[in-house]
Amino acid sequence: MASIRSVTKKLGILTAGGDCPGLNAAIRGVCRAAHGLYGMEITGIANGFRGLIYEDTKPLSPEDFSGILTRGGTILGSSREKPFENDNKDELASDKVSAIMETYSKLELDCLVVLGGNGTNTTGYKLSREGLNVIGLPKTIDNDIVGTDRTFGFHSALAICTEAIDRLHSTAQSHSRVIVIELMGHKAGWLALYAGVAGGGDIILLPEIPYNIHSIGRHLEKRARSGKRFSIVVVAEGAMSLKEADMDKKDRKKYRNENGPSVAYRVAKEIQEETGMETRATVLGYMQRGGIPSASDRVLATSLGTAAVELLAKGKYGRMVALNGNDIDSVDLSVPEGKVKNVPINHYMIDTAKAVGTCLAD
Ligand code: F6P
């Protein structure tokens, strides 16, 4: 089919930040539409922004982006490189940004497509302020990007977390134990909230609501009196107690070094001290970011990828494609810049959790 005319002739694509299922589906969406509809040339950039700093790139052909829809991870590799930050004395931000600008022009790119979370889209925005043409796609299992109703990666992680919580119910019941499961979500509790509701967690602890250990104790004891001698506590890795919330960063770090760096183990210890109930902790960790994407994430990632190409064809740069209700939309790249989308205290899912008797320890 003859290619449709496009303002963008050559694009570079990179994936940065924490990986997740759906990244390859998004890469495929971008590349198949760009190449198939508009005949655009595509350069793959390795390991996030490091690939631009160190000119670690290669042309992508249809063979490269074929058969990757269902593959986890990212064929391009990723890193948490933050070019605008001096992370060590050997790599000055100014040198890194200059290197990026040089590689972009040496490759004769018309645009850079960045797939990533808050940090990646913020870097994309800053590079657009330096004069690069940038389009962002919202990726993260945390679902905490301002400007989009959902990020790809979230639904896949939600399914993994829900299955884990289901599995914990049988072992907790067999041993009449309280089991605390820690999920990812350093700053925002979307994954813990949704997986806690989906998995029937009895208590859900979010970064947004510092927990009161006495509320937790009362809830567990009430369950025990009603004959439920087991409970599941779902905790986001960024959750903290009221006591920790009152500490400054330095004291909080010291407290965590003394009481275990993982919130699940701290909460389990506090529960055991508060109630005397036998309690265990488990951290789901990187399982939440592995494996094949859910059908929902494949659809969202592909839709966002192809929508990004429509913006490229029209030369509409400086945007992040986004889910807006049931529609694919886009927002200015400044919208997510430097922000985190936290769970609003009045969010309907908080009400839903409470309505079915879940304790949020507020
Ligand atoms: O940003 C997504 C995320 O999975 C967070 O939930 C988690 O805290 C972080 O990445 C882990 O980062 P890393 O992969 O660098 O250890």
Side-chain angles (χ1 to χ4, degrees):
M1 178 169 64
S3 301
I4 309 166
R5 212 184 72 73
S6 163
V7 170
T8 299
K9 308 294 179 206
K10 192 168 180 185
L11 71 95
I13 184 168
L14 65 83
T15 55
D19 75 321
C20 73
L23 269 172
N24 284 323
I27 292 168
R28 174 181 175 273
V30 170
C31 295
R32 283 178 74 120
H35 177 79
L37 288 180
Y38 296 101
M40 293 180 199
E41 277 182 65
I42 303 160
T43 297
I45 297 159
N47 303 321
F49 294 100
R50 293 200 82 74
L52 281 173
I53 295 169
Y54 297 105
E55 246 188 285
D56 187 356
T57 68
K58 74 165 196 147
L60 293 185
S61 65
E63 292 68 39
D64 294 308
F65 45 83
S66 168
I68 63 170
L69 172 65
T70 62
R71 276 176 57 186
T74 160
I75 59 169
L76 296 174
S78 186
S79 74
R80 287 193 180 275
E81 173 62 52
K82 291 186 169 51
F84 288 89
E85 288 177 16
N86 290 329
D87 42 14
N88 65 54
K89 62 181 180 352
D90 307 330
E91 294 185 327
L92 291 178
S94 52
D95 296 345
K96 291 189 282 186
V97 174
S98 310
I100 288 173
M101 307 300 281
E102 276 162 39
T103 304
Y104 181 94
S105 64
K106 196 183 285 183
L107 292 170
E108 297 177 319
L109 298 180
D110 298 315
C111 179
L112 180 62
V113 179
V114 299
L115 284 59
N118 293 308
T120 303
N121 281 286
T122 294
T123 299
Y125 172 64
K126 290 179 177 174
L127 288 172
S128 71
R129 299 281 298 270
E130 297 291 325
L132 299 195
N133 296 324
V134 179
I135 296 280
L137 274 76
K139 164 279 312 173
T140 176
I141 65 166
D142 295 349
N143 196 38
D144 62 354
I145 299 181
V146 171
T148 184
D149 286 349
R150 183 156 53 90
T151 59
F152 65 84
F154 176 63
H155 268 199
S156 299
L158 177 56
I160 294 164
C161 294
T162 302
E163 189 202 346
I165 294 169
D166 289 349
R167 290 175 178 277
L168 290 177
H169 272 81
S170 57
T171 179
Q173 191 155 15
S174 307
H175 291 268
S176 299
R177 277 173 173 161
V178 178
I179 295 191
V180 181
I181 178 171
E182 179 178 324
L183 304 181
M184 284 185 164
H186 209 56
K187 298 196 178 88
W190 295 101
L191 199 47
L193 178 57
Y194 276 67
V197 170
D202 303 298
I203 297 173
I204 303 175
L205 305 181
L206 307 176
E208 292 87 350
I209 305 175
Y211 65 83
N212 178 337
I213 187 61
H214 305 308
S215 309
I216 294 173
R218 283 195 298 272
H219 189 79
L220 293 172
E221 283 154 1
K222 186 176 159 209
R223 274 182 56 83
R225 285 195 299 275
S226 72
K228 297 279 176 65
R229 303 208 51 76
F230 76 98
S231 288
I232 304 292
V233 182
V234 181
V235 56
E237 67 181 318
M240 65 178 82
S241 63
L242 284 169
K243 190 166 72 172
E244 285 178 274
D246 286 344
M247 294 174 189
D248 63 29
K249 240 179 173 174
K250 189 167 138 290
D251 292 344
R252 195 177 297 148
K253 195 166 182 314
K254 182 169 173 292
Y255 175 80
R256 289 176 175 177
N257 287 339
E258 288 160 3
N259 291 276
S262 163
V263 64
Y265 289 87
R266 291 199 300 274
V267 169
K269 181 167 169 277
E270 289 166 32
I271 287 172
Q272 192 126 345
E273 287 165 357
E274 178 81 5
T275 66
M277 294 177 181
E278 192 180 8
T279 307
R280 292 289 187 273
T282 192
V283 178
L284 199 50
Y286 293 88
M287 307 271 271
Q288 300 161 83
R289 301 225 311 248
I292 67 168
S294 68
S296 171
D297 271 342
R298 297 179 202 187
V299 169
L300 179 58
T302 303
S303 307
L304 291 170
T306 54
V309 171
E310 290 312 305
L311 294 174
L312 289 172
K314 298 184 185 98
K316 287 181 121 183
Y317 307 121
R319 310 286 293 173
M320 178 184 78
V321 287
L323 180 68
N324 179 2
N326 290 319
D327 298 323
I328 297 294
D329 198 349
S330 71
V331 295
D332 191 279
L333 256 181
S334 61
V335 167
E337 194 246 344
K339 304 181 193 78
V340 171
K341 185 174 77 176
N342 282 106
V343 178
I345 299 303
N346 61 351
H347 192 274
Y348 76 86
M349 197 52 83
I350 296 257
D351 299 335
T352 300
K354 288 186 173 177
V356 293
T358 313
C359 168
L360 291 160
D362 47 1

